[in-house]
Amino acid sequence: MSRTPIIAGNWKMFKTVSEATAFVSEVKGKAEVAGVETVVCAPFTALPALVEAVKGTSIKIGAQNMHYEDNGAFTGEISGVFLKDLGVDFVIIGHSERRQYFAETDETVNKKTHAAFKHGLTPIVCVGEKLEEREAGKTDEVNRVQTTAALAGLTAEQAAEVVIAYEPIWAIGTGKSSTATDANDAIKAIRSVVEGLFGAEVAGKVRIQYGGSVKPNNVAEYMGESDIDGALVGGASLEPASFIALVEGA
Ligand code: PEP
């Protein structure tokens, strides 16, 4: 089954509005490769300008988080209503930095995943193990629990649309990447979890990215693996030349 590869940049807390639009001017027409979906996940403040800047290109814009309620007394939060209103297409949910620093749980990840679909946003749901969990041989178990919780209650159609980002926490922003074969094995195990939940057809459709110190010089290695459908990239997505090379490498 052929799945469209997806390269998504996660800018984290980097780039002002002018830096963000200057980035798009540089990557336009270059980080656009037939058969590869390209997404930039930016800080909330840059989203309106970015949505405008990518008009007429194939580049899609994503947020890095959302609240699961539509409206309410949640000071400082942004809901799917607002993201959809801006014209945003994707949203990262449950990034390990949010699980670690902002108390996101499997339960809130699941609520946010449902809320994303409610508002026509494609969720990029992050799962992945800590170093001590990997060393204890628990990688597949951690991914199984997180994936099962995140996808709970979705319809088969929704589950097929989710993008899962397998991001071993010890590899994020550390320069230590998982080997391509290890990442592929973990991703195959995640795909079989999806199969157990939703059946072989959905498992064959769902796109699962690898994330963790992906760079222009190693992206092709990951993309050469059977089950890796793209990458979620932090540091190396910030520079236009590097981002273009990542998309070309996919
Ligand atoms: C990320 O932020 O999701 C990530 C994988 O970061 P980096 O590419 O910098 O490891």
Side-chain angles (χ1 to χ4, degrees):
M1 180 155 322
S2 80
R3 297 178 291 266
T4 304
I6 173 167
I7 299 292
N10 172 20
W11 284 354
K12 312 193 189 211
M13 199 169 70
F14 292 99
K15 291 200 193 292
T16 61
V17 176
S18 59
E19 288 165 349
T21 52
F23 176 98
V24 170
S25 309
E26 289 206 42
V27 305
K28 248 186 196 176
K30 297 177 190 146
E32 296 186 71
V33 171
V36 179
E37 192 161 30
T38 303
V39 184
V40 171
C41 299
F44 290 130
T45 45
L47 293 176
L50 281 175
V51 168
E52 280 305 309
V54 299
K55 280 194 175 146
T57 78
S58 59
I59 301 168
K60 311 245 175 69
I61 300 302
Q64 299 170 15
N65 179 36
M66 63 181 282
H67 198 275
Y68 49 83
E69 295 290 351
D70 291 356
N71 295 285
F74 300 106
T75 301
E77 290 292 318
I78 297 291
S79 79
V81 175
F82 308 147
L83 296 179
K84 199 61 203 167
D85 186 43
L86 289 180
V88 165
D89 289 314
F90 285 81
V91 58
I92 298 174
I93 292 176
H95 191 280
S96 61
E97 288 154 15
R98 295 213 55 90
R99 292 181 192 252
Q100 186 180 353
Y101 305 127
F102 301 98
E104 296 236 346
T105 63
D106 285 343
E107 190 190 351
T108 59
V109 169
N110 178 247
K111 286 182 175 177
K112 290 178 183 201
T113 303
H114 280 272
F117 280 115
K118 180 177 174 193
H119 298 294
L121 301 160
T122 301
I124 300 175
V125 175
C126 301
V127 301
E129 82 284 2
K130 297 179 186 145
L131 184 58
E132 59 270 29
E133 291 166 336
R134 183 182 194 83
E135 286 171 348
K138 292 185 176 159
T139 297
D140 290 344
E141 173 62 8
V142 169
N143 287 335
R144 184 187 64 74
V145 169
Q146 291 184 357
T147 302
T148 303
L151 305 187
L154 294 184
T155 64
E157 290 72 23
Q158 290 170 331
E161 284 300 309
V162 170
V163 177
I164 298 173
Y166 165 58
E167 298 208 311
I169 297 171
W170 50 270
I172 298 179
T174 57
K176 286 188 216 155
S177 48
S178 173
T179 65
T181 48
D182 279 358
N184 197 49
D185 286 347
I187 285 175
K188 273 190 189 163
I190 293 169
R191 200 176 298 286
S192 60
V193 170
V194 176
E195 181 170 349
L197 294 168
F198 296 99
E201 196 182 332
V202 171
K205 284 184 182 165
V206 71
R207 292 182 294 174
I208 310 181
Q209 301 170 301
Y210 167 71
S213 299
V214 176
K215 311 262 183 261
N217 66 6
N218 63 13
V219 66
E221 215 179 309
Y222 293 109
M223 297 307 301
E225 294 288 338
S226 62
D227 279 66
I228 302 181
D229 303 318
L232 180 59
V233 187
S237 73
L238 288 166
E239 288 303 321
S242 162
F243 189 66
I244 293 163
L246 288 166
V247 177
E248 287 173 345

